[in-house]
Amino acid sequence: MAHLLTPRQAEELHRALIAYLSANNLNATVAALRQELNLGEDVFDAATAKKYEGLLERKWTSVVRLQKKIMDLEARNAALQTELDTSTPTSRQNKDPVNWLPKSPARHTLQSHRKPVTCVAFHPVFSSLASGSDDQTIKIWDWELGELERTIKGHTKAVLDVDYGGPKGNTLLASCSSDLTIKLWDPSDDYKNIRTLPGHDHSVSAVRFIPSGVGGSAGNLLVSASRDKTLRIWDVSTGFCVKTLRGHAEWVRDVCPSIDGRFVLSTSDDYTSRLWDITVANPEPKTTFIGHEHVVLCCAIAPAAAYPHLAAMAGVKKPPATSTVEFMATGSRDKTIRLWDARGTCIKVLVGHDNWIRCVIATGSVDLNVRIFAN
């Protein structure tokens, strides 16, 4: 029979047993055990035995506590595994997409718009949510309390997009509309309309603040996409259009800037997406993404944290560490999401939706997973 204890551990156990038996006045048993183990008084005297008193009890209670902790951890692990299996798209046990959605009831239901809601944006610091609607208004909500804070009026046609951003320390709200304008609102001054940016010749479909970095800017640039087939770069501090991007043949539906503010990705009714380097004087499409079979409605640039997983999918050993636009996602009326690399190669087609894909968000995690959320 193999011994689980080392000789040293076995000796410690024998001495603890003798000390325990002696403390409980089981002298005959102590004498028999000493004889069996050849532990006479000259080897293990009363003074030494005193040092081992209580050791066995302490070890025993420690084992019981550890067993209870192990049982608690196993139960918690089982509960977390169940939650993971029933709430994540990556679960092998849940093939039905309905199971990926949050369960009822909703924490809050925000009701006030009189017509369809077209867009939402979360404030980067406070618990504020802005929503735009076909009813020509923007509404500001406290999403923690589920309460309407204010209604903003100013556009004369449907509000198509909203976004928070702007110069550091001075977060603004930008909105765009079918009335051909972009408006800037100041949350720190009761959402006062501080500037209106006219210039597009048709409905303005999307608006996004460009992160600071381009030309030393401090986050004061804004990009807009329009049905007039152009994208425009604006300086929100002056209200001037500093660049106009031409290349799409049809309505430009959506735009997404890179995290360093150097590039923007756009989508269009011409079935293409285009990547632009806006640091040059006269931007032209750096890459054109061709593959969708219908209008491309939305786009997202993948964060660097998603690169390892996407690189494996693309068959690339290691993407450039300095790249901010190595991979991206687009969604279309052809009911598919396509994942692309920066060279215009489609690395994956995600099929499963049974209707148009109007919004797509790409996220990355240190667990080397990339998740694509769409609706």
Side-chain angles (χ1 to χ4, degrees):
M1 176 181 175
H3 295 288
L4 297 178
L5 303 179
T6 65
R8 175 65 182 273
Q9 291 173 330
E11 182 182 352
E12 292 288 312
L13 176 59
H14 296 155
R15 294 187 176 198
L17 283 169
I18 292 173
Y20 173 76
L21 294 170
S22 298
N24 286 276
N25 298 317
L26 300 173
N27 298 323
T29 306
V30 170
L33 185 57
R34 278 179 175 274
Q35 185 176 357
E36 287 284 341
L37 298 173
N38 196 23
L39 288 175
E41 289 291 339
D42 57 330
V43 178
F44 187 59
D45 57 20
T48 306
K50 191 74 174 175
K51 293 166 54 179
Y52 285 86
E53 281 187 8
L55 179 61
L56 199 62
E57 293 98 321
R58 289 196 299 272
K59 295 285 188 181
W60 182 265
T61 54
S62 296
V63 168
V64 172
R65 285 197 300 270
L66 286 172
Q67 286 178 329
K68 185 177 185 304
K69 286 184 179 180
I70 290 171
M71 292 173 64
D72 291 342
L73 287 171
E74 287 178 341
R76 184 181 177 188
N77 183 62
L80 289 172
Q81 186 62 51
T82 299
E83 181 179 347
L84 182 66
D85 290 342
T86 57
S87 64
T88 63
T90 55
S91 168
R92 294 182 179 179
Q93 298 181 14
N94 284 301
K95 304 299 183 181
D96 184 2
V98 173
N99 291 326
W100 306 347
L101 302 175
K103 303 300 181 184
S104 296
R107 180 177 175 183
H108 299 297
T109 299
L110 310 180
Q111 294 179 318
S112 182
H113 284 294
R114 300 190 308 276
K115 290 186 178 181
V117 177
T118 56
C119 51
V120 295
F122 286 90
H123 193 287
V125 178
F126 305 117
S127 60
S128 296
L129 171 70
S131 61
S133 168
D134 282 350
D135 65 12
Q136 305 175 19
T137 70
I138 302 166
K139 292 184 183 285
I140 308 299
W141 313 80
D142 184 322
W143 56 261
E144 282 190 337
L145 301 177
E147 296 177 352
L148 175 65
E149 292 186 339
R150 70 181 76 249
T151 298
I152 303 172
K153 298 180 179 180
H155 285 293
T156 56
K157 290 188 177 180
V159 179
L160 300 181
D161 200 12
V162 288
D163 190 40
Y164 280 106
K168 293 179 179 178
N170 185 25
T171 300
L172 302 175
L173 175 67
S175 62
C176 61
S177 168
S178 295
D179 64 11
L180 282 59
T181 69
I182 299 163
K183 290 183 179 290
L184 300 176
W185 315 85
D186 187 356
S188 65
D189 190 12
D190 294 327
Y191 284 89
K192 178 182 177 181
N193 179 208
I194 60 173
R195 202 176 297 280
T196 297
L197 311 179
H200 279 294
D201 298 325
H202 214 311
S203 297
V204 188
S205 317
V207 63
R208 291 287 181 273
F209 282 98
I210 298 174
S212 59
V214 176
S217 71
N220 60 317
L221 295 181
L222 184 77
V223 59
S224 58
S226 170
R227 194 172 179 177
D228 66 11
K229 308 176 187 178
T230 71
L231 295 107
R232 290 178 181 257
I233 309 294
W234 308 82
D235 185 333
V236 298
S237 60
T238 64
F240 293 139
C241 174
V242 296
K243 292 179 183 178
T244 299
L245 284 58
R246 293 183 172 87
H248 282 293
E250 297 291 343
W251 187 344
V252 185
R253 292 282 186 166
D254 195 17
V255 62
C256 177
S258 63
I259 194 169
D260 62 353
R262 179 180 176 184
F263 300 94
V264 295
L265 176 66
S266 61
T267 66
S268 170
D269 279 20
D270 63 12
Y271 297 14
T272 72
S273 300
R274 297 171 192 253
L275 184 65
W276 311 75
D277 183 347
I278 61 173
T279 62
V280 299
N282 297 300
E284 293 183 355
K286 178 176 181 290
T287 310
T288 300
F289 306 91
I290 301 173
H292 280 296
E293 299 174 356
H294 211 307
V295 170
V296 190
L297 293 174
C298 51
C299 60
I301 297 174
Y307 284 7
H309 185 82
L310 289 169
M313 190 183 298
V316 178
K317 290 184 178 179
K318 191 176 182 181
T322 57
S323 173
T324 58
V325 287
E326 190 62 25
F327 300 103
M328 50 222 72
T330 56
S332 168
R333 285 185 182 176
D334 64 12
K335 308 174 188 177
T336 69
I337 300 167
R338 287 180 178 259
L339 305 182
W340 312 83
D341 66 17
R343 287 152 292 284
T345 303
C346 179
I347 63 174
K348 190 75 173 179
V349 180
L350 306 179
V351 180
H353 284 281
D354 57 7
N355 212 324
W356 297 353
I357 298 170
R358 297 179 179 271
C359 177
V360 62
I361 303 172
T363 67
S365 170
V366 292
D367 63 5
L368 302 188
N369 283 325
V370 58
R371 307 191 196 285
I372 306 297
F373 301 90
N375 64 25

